[in-house]
Amino acid sequence: MWWPSNLVQVSLFRALHEKEKRPKRGTTLTQFFLLAMICSFAYYVVPGYLLLMLTSFSWLCWFDSKSLFLHQLGSGMNGLGLGAFGIDWTTISSYLGSPLASPWFATANIAVGFVLVMYVMTPLTYWLNVYGAKKFPIYSSALFMSNGQRYNISSIVDSNFHLDRGVYRTTGPVNLSTFFAMTYGLGFATLSATIVHVFLFNGRELWNQSRSAFGGKRKIDIHTKLMRAYKQVPTWWFILILVLNIGLSIFSCQYYNVSLQLPWWGVLLACVIAFFFTLPIGIIAATTNQAPGLNIITEYIIGYAYPERPVANMCFKVYGYISMTQALTFVSDFKLGHYMKIPPRTMFMAQIVGTIIAVFVYIATAWWLMGSIQDLCDTNLLPENSPWTCPMDRVFFDASVIWGLVGPRRIFGNLGEYGAVNWFFFGGAIAPLVVWSAHKMFPKQSWIGLIHMPVLLGATSMMPPASAVNFTSWLICGFVFGFVVFRYKTEWWKRYNYILSGGLDAGTAFMTILIFLTLGSKGIDWWGNNTDGCPLASCPSAKGVMIHGCPIF
């Protein structure tokens, strides 16, 4: 199987390293890559510094600056994003990756899932006031009290960074926006759908491949034959690194147990979860370029097994979820090397050295940012257009409170009000079975087999921190490039599609660094840098709820 995102890497590798005959008409791959990169580099100064509103063009809010309803509908950042779009590559590719590298059927599944969640389920649950939805914003990852105010998390944490049960009983339960609660439910459904989908649609293939890997007859393709010219990476290298890292992880958790909270058995359990889910999620990623995450199930398991310890919950998620993600990245890189005939040992050492260097670079960068950026990640103190709001880190923190500090039992279990959300596990398991049955009953209807329930149900798994404008822009770009251009300029598209994606990524990245180093992190102070223009979108609509800057009903 092949990761679609690998096609971008292969195309760039060939463009930059292989000799290519100049075509009679048109440009070479290298010339096209440089042209795309330069254009992207030059353009990004506009949405990245001069005109930030291009990152979320929410025109619907302009019709009435005092209408909460319009702002909820039109805001691309804090609302449903109806009609909102961004003319900015970072808006398009930040969370879902490049739409040019996504297969068209996967894009269609994401579109269906997004529309159902954002424009059907969310409005229905909100305006029907499910779980008191109107007391909170229509779209938010924040945690709230029963009266609609933001929850003061520090008030329910004791000196040992555990839950203070007495204060929590007095303050009241943590409440989620209905959209946030539904997102977790869809995460449950995606996980069960992934297991069932892979079993039904790929079970026989997995069985045959497993038999061939352990001594059965194995079909050797031309790439494998050519790669036999190089020395392979010994198995004991991988085992040594695995044992060493698990040992160091257990040592860290035991030695710094007061700070990290996670016991030794938590590390081993996280490794087991990562090992079990790497194959099925890898299959989904290889065929659709969309990988369901393990973040929710890891949080769920350790939240029940070791409750009221937020740091332990975060560590467990890192060892379980991030380990699986890095494993797939590692395999993806080796697949790239396999097809590009890069010696396996060279690829292996490049990954190891790169990983070691990256550790020090990440730590130094984080240390520098925390020391030099005032009010880093604090949205209450940062200016409106600050780039240092850390949306992914804030969601990570909120998740540690939900699953770690308070615990799933007090939110999704018998002590919480969101227990019905657990039914999503059952719905996710049934959905692929329905598709598989329909596919077997109507084999001539090939489109049925393209309904991919793990991708469809997990379409909005990145929301939050992703917002509606990220999805609408990604889908528009994906459909335009993936359908219109592919249909009418097939040969051109096959030649230049992935080069274009790489050029856009590279140009945007270089300009982002240049803007930060030369112009600073804050754009020009004028109306064009009002990124959304929908200030009321994050306001509640319930009667009697008083929030600063919001209308009172």
Side-chain angles (χ1 to χ4, degrees), residues 303-314:
Y304 266 109
Y306 208 53
E308 302 178 13
R309 294 169 176 83
V311 180
N313 195 279
M314 289 189 290

Side-chain angles (χ1 to χ4, degrees), residues 370-382:
M370 289 187 290
S372 59
I373 305 298
Q374 187 177 2
D375 304 320
L376 181 67
C377 302
D378 193 338
T379 55
N380 296 321
L381 300 176
L382 289 169

Side-chain angles (χ1 to χ4, degrees), residues 259-263 302 306 309-317:
S259 300
L260 299 180
Q261 300 180 335
L262 187 66
I302 197 64
Y306 208 53
R309 294 169 176 83
V311 180
N313 195 279
M314 289 189 290
C315 290
F316 187 85
K317 178 165 68 171

